[in-house]
Amino acid sequence: MANRDYVRRGKGTSRRPAKKKTSGKKPWRSGLLAIVLASAFGYGLYLLSNDPEPSKPAPVATKPAPKPKPKPAKPIPPPPEEKWDYVETLPKREVEVKAKEQVVSKIPYIMQCGAYKTLAQAEARKLDIAFQGISSQIRKKENSSWFRVVLGPYKLKRDAERDKHKLQRAKIEPCAIWKEAQ
């Protein structure tokens, strides 16, 4: 058998791929076309925004429809008789409620809203609390370098809770309530 080269057997014997022919269009033409289309679209939107509202067509004269004849009115039935007697008996009834007496603690409550290393930080917190209409004090414990911002004393824990919630709404937290040690 003869050795034949089937790969090179064809029209061209060159190994280089054939160059693609360009259509002759230049890339700047497509950019120009895009700009023209975008500007035409923008101009169309501009014209639409300046159009006056469409005028309402003149009303067409029509003959008024004849009014229907009123039907004779039916007599109103008498109100139904009540089967219940609660209307008369309810105002005469009275319910007695006994409320618990509030226990007033002999030891008052205090609320602490921060402990700070510097007096300036404690003063700033005291000022924030004062803007809420609540008075506070700065206490420094003996043999300690911490400045505590304290509110109170409160006779009832309810009063301390009320002030705590007021401070929470003003984003001044955390505040803790406890009985004051004497």
Side-chain angles (χ1 to χ4, degrees):
M1 279 210 167
N3 288 337
R4 292 189 181 200
D5 189 2
Y6 292 101
V7 174
R8 292 187 181 203
R9 196 179 94 177
K11 291 183 180 179
T13 57
S14 169
R15 289 189 178 186
R16 294 183 187 166
K19 292 185 179 179
K20 293 182 181 177
K21 287 188 175 181
T22 58
S23 63
K25 291 185 180 177
K26 300 194 168 122
W28 60 271
R29 286 184 183 175
S30 59
L32 182 64
L33 179 65
I35 291 172
V36 168
L37 287 176
S39 61
F41 181 72
Y43 183 69
L45 288 178
Y46 173 74
L47 289 177
L48 286 176
S49 68
N50 288 337
D51 274 349
E53 291 293 320
S55 61
K56 295 181 181 178
V60 179
T62 58
K63 293 181 182 179
K67 293 182 181 177
K69 295 180 183 178
K71 294 181 181 178
K74 293 181 181 177
I76 299 174
E81 300 216 5
E82 292 194 30
K83 301 174 186 174
W84 319 106
D85 62 344
Y86 67 88
V87 177
E88 291 88 24
T89 59
L90 193 58
K92 298 173 187 171
R93 292 201 173 192
E94 222 175 272
V95 177
E96 194 173 316
V97 177
K98 293 182 180 181
K100 294 181 185 178
E101 289 187 29
Q102 291 184 352
V103 179
V104 178
S105 175
K106 294 178 183 177
I107 302 172
Y109 292 93
I110 63 166
M111 180 167 42
Q112 179 177 326
C113 287
Y116 302 97
K117 273 294 205 185
T118 65
L119 182 61
Q121 291 173 325
E123 288 288 340
R125 177 52 63 107
K126 181 179 177 182
L127 186 64
D128 291 341
I129 293 170
F131 278 126
Q132 301 306 314
I134 303 170
S135 63
S136 60
Q137 307 148 10
I138 297 175
R139 294 184 186 171
K140 183 177 180 186
K141 235 179 183 181
E142 292 180 22
N143 302 327
S144 176
S145 62
W146 290 91
F147 295 93
R148 300 182 331 156
V149 180
V150 179
L151 288 76
Y154 298 98
K155 289 182 182 177
L156 300 173
K157 188 173 183 182
R158 177 182 294 173
D159 296 335
E161 288 287 343
R162 186 181 319 118
D163 283 350
K164 181 179 178 183
H165 292 301
K166 188 174 183 179
L167 293 172
Q168 281 178 340
R169 285 191 296 272
K171 306 270 191 269
I172 299 173
E173 47 189 353
C175 295
I177 301 172
W178 57 76
K179 290 187 178 183
E180 185 175 28
Q182 292 184 355

